Amino acid sequence: MKRLLALLGVLALIATACGDDDTATTAATSAAPATTAAPATTAAPADPLQAAADACTPGQVDGDLSFYNWTEYIDPELIDAFEGEYGVEVIETFYDSNESMLAQVDAGGAVYDLIVPSDYMVTIMAEEGLLIDLNDSAITNLGNLDPTFTGLPFDPDGAYSVPYQWGTTGIGFAYEALGEDFTPSWSVIFEPDPSYAGEISLLDDSRETLGAALKYLGYSLNTTSQAELDEAVELIRGVKDSIKLFDSTTFDDNLVEGETMVAHGWNGGFLGSYDGISTDDYDAYEDFGYFIPQEGGVAWVDTMAIPRTAEHVCTAHTFIDFLLDAENGAALTNWNFYASPNSASAEFIDPEIIEDESIYPSDETFANLEFIADTGDFEINYQDALTAIKN
Amino acid sequence: MSTPVGTPRLEAASERANRRRGLLLALPSYVYLIVLFAIPLVFVGVYSFASRSRTGKPELADWNLDAVAKLLDSTVLQIAWRSTWLALLNTVLCLLVAYPFAYYIATRRERVRNMLLLLVMIPFWTNFLVRTYAWRVLLDSDGLVTRLGEGLGLWGSMLFSAPAVFLGLLYGFLPFMVLPLYAAIERVDWSLVEAARDLYASGWKAFRRVTLPLTRPGIIAGSILVFIPSLGAYVTPDILGGAKTTLLGNYIVGQFLAARNWPVGSAVSMAILIVMLIATTVYFRSGGRTF
């Protein structure tokens, strides 16, 4: 009997642990360095962390860097190079959505010196006072940024964030499904040909998924009109039978593995996968492609920011500066296939990448793109809309 | 407690010491339960009545019943109904598969029995998420299970469909059913079954009238252990079902993360907890207290 009870106890623990698996990747965050010198510069600073940041000088390091980033978003060799150059360690932890990152930073407790929030998340985090004001004087390479990526609406003064990489949301596809000659439109998803209906994946993300439908209908993807949103819901519900799955993490793998033929997703994800399966004898670009629909789509910018959980603000500034260096910025793009906001990097980026319109869209296409903006209370309606689609 | 004549004070003192020692031994569990269970639960309860700031930060101000009212929203009720139905079906499936299996284990020699039990538990050494992804490999278009089905002409690729979800849930929660059933069957006094057979009960009748009632505690324990986590399952429907239908677990995650609507997420979590608590209490009060 006692054995049974003990067994049940263990099982119950396992059961509760199972429910948490999605965030398991973030659990290993307590490995943050213990060597923290409290920055007590002034007698009673109102904001010691901000004061410490304001006192940082270019190239200064004040301890190991706890870097909280998206998965597969930085060349490990760049990390090694930084560690070698500055004699500090970079401890990387990962997240798979802005929201889970926010929850983690908001909860506090763990040390994160540098994070990579996307555009709209910068607005939210800045408004909630979770980001510190960057010390521009410690970031000597700021001038390398392309003016297109400064003064963006989510952080007009560039006070809290420095662009990391940018990209687009569009459609990855197999030529087998669409042929060589097709109209690059969202209609590929919303008016699918029977030959590939049922082999389509959509992102599992309220803003992106509904944004695609809103764009197809000719509305802004930042709409706060319930009528327009309802129309988008109906549109997606109407083609639900052609949707094989909603997926934000493996949309690219499913496409190249043949589970889907048309997939809604982020450009770098697709191109990275195409590149990953290409060999000396096989060019995946002959079988797969990516396009930004002519109706327009999402452009996004991921940025570097220093959250309130930071303890090594100077190392964080130095790391930002390091990535803004022309060659390092290029190394980032050459590895992750997302476009660089760093104009000085251009000459070091593989010509194939610079010339690829699915990475660097033409000005004309770019003009059609929209950034996702936080819609405040209307975010609830977007999530309810996604729930309604799946109901 | 009978007090021996000569030394009442000594006896009382030793009893007090005993009680203190008992408390000391239980202290870690109390601290654990209070800090990691009771207090967070209070938070969840409180947040159900809180409000959401414009940016989605939960604010302990402007107390209201909006989130609680959302529980009666037809979408939420539909999701709750679908989840309950799925959890029930999974419980029944687990029971049907696990009972014969547990019976088989319990009636083996000790060494075989221990080995089989070990085999049941080994999957727990690997993370549930990893095991669920492994099923994806088995079920995709050129996966082993798919090829087997195609070879037999019985089924094709099940990935991202309801059968895949059921398969994943059945696989994931089967051990929770097997182990308590095993424990119950192992304790059955087989002479009672023999007596039934001696009295001309058929094998089936002896099972239904003797073995089944005797193993009822195991059935109930296993069913509760499977039903409750199945009700909150969200990894399996997302990974194997392609996230096409919302279950309670997915709904709660969506509220906490995507919508950043803590009050609604909290209210739904609390509601599930309360319903489950009432259901189990009613069950035990109504004489189900058999283990």
Side-chain angles (χ1 to χ4, degrees), chain A residues 2-150:
Chain A
K2 272 181 194 147
R3 259 209 323 228
L4 170 68
L5 283 177
L7 202 63
L8 293 186
V10 171
L11 284 174
L13 275 180
I14 294 166
T16 46
C18 287
D20 216 26
D21 276 336
D22 226 19
T23 51
T25 42
T26 57
T29 51
S30 48
T35 51
T36 62
T41 40
T42 48
D47 186 348
L49 194 65
Q50 187 65 58
D54 292 343
C56 290
T57 54
Q60 189 187 343
V61 288
D62 55 356
D64 293 345
L65 182 78
S66 168
F67 186 28
Y68 195 25
N69 192 5
W70 300 78
T71 45
E72 309 217 353
Y73 211 16
I74 189 166
D75 185 350
E77 284 179 20
L78 268 177
I79 299 276
D80 291 345
F82 181 79
E83 289 178 332
E85 193 171 336
Y86 292 95
V88 291
E89 227 179 291
V90 176
I91 298 115
E92 282 188 281
T93 42
F94 305 100
Y95 54 87
D96 59 7
S97 77
N98 278 299
E99 285 71 19
S100 58
M101 179 272 292
L102 172 65
Q104 203 71 14
V105 169
D106 203 13
V111 176
Y112 300 115
D113 296 318
L114 189 64
I115 54 173
V116 186
S118 306
D119 31 54
Y120 73 100
M121 191 48 71
V122 174
T123 315
I124 292 175
M125 296 185 87
E127 203 166 315
E128 290 185 5
L130 291 170
L131 301 178
I132 68 162
D133 203 337
L134 297 176
N135 175 1
D136 289 355
S137 71
I139 310 173
T140 54
N141 290 323
L142 267 182
N144 284 347
L145 282 175
D146 184 333
T148 319
F149 293 97
T150 56

Side-chain angles (χ1 to χ4, degrees), chain A residues 185-251:
Chain A
S185 157
W186 286 114
S187 64
V188 163
I189 285 175
F190 297 116
E191 292 169 43
D193 187 82
S195 63
Y196 62 83
E199 307 295 322
I200 300 173
S201 81
L202 280 181
L203 286 173
D204 190 12
D205 180 302
S206 52
R207 295 302 307 276
E208 291 277 12
T209 309
L210 285 147
L214 285 166
K215 273 296 186 189
Y216 175 68
L217 292 168
Y219 302 130
S220 162
L221 51 80
N222 289 315
T223 187
T224 50
S225 149
Q226 186 62 45
E228 290 177 6
L229 191 60
D230 287 343
E231 223 180 299
V233 169
E234 283 318 307
L235 176 67
I236 302 176
R237 287 183 74 129
V239 294
K240 208 183 157 190
D241 289 341
S242 334
I243 309 296
K244 192 168 195 177
L245 75 158
F246 292 89
D247 181 7
S248 304
T249 47
T250 53
F251 57 87

Side-chain angles (χ1 to χ4, degrees), chain B residues 179-203:
Chain B
L179 297 174
L181 278 178
Y182 159 77
I185 297 170
E186 195 227 348
R187 279 180 299 148
V188 167
D189 182 352
W190 297 107
S191 58
L192 294 173
V193 180
E194 280 161 22
R197 294 305 300 270
D198 281 349
L199 295 168
Y200 298 104
S202 66

Side-chain angles (χ1 to χ4, degrees), chain A residues 289-315:
Chain A
Y290 171 85
F291 67 85
I292 299 165
Q294 60 192 12
E295 297 91 345
V298 177
W300 45 261
V301 183
D302 284 341
T303 72
M304 295 176 275
I306 303 178
R308 284 272 156 203
T309 54
E311 283 185 358
H312 315 102
V313 284
C314 292
T315 311

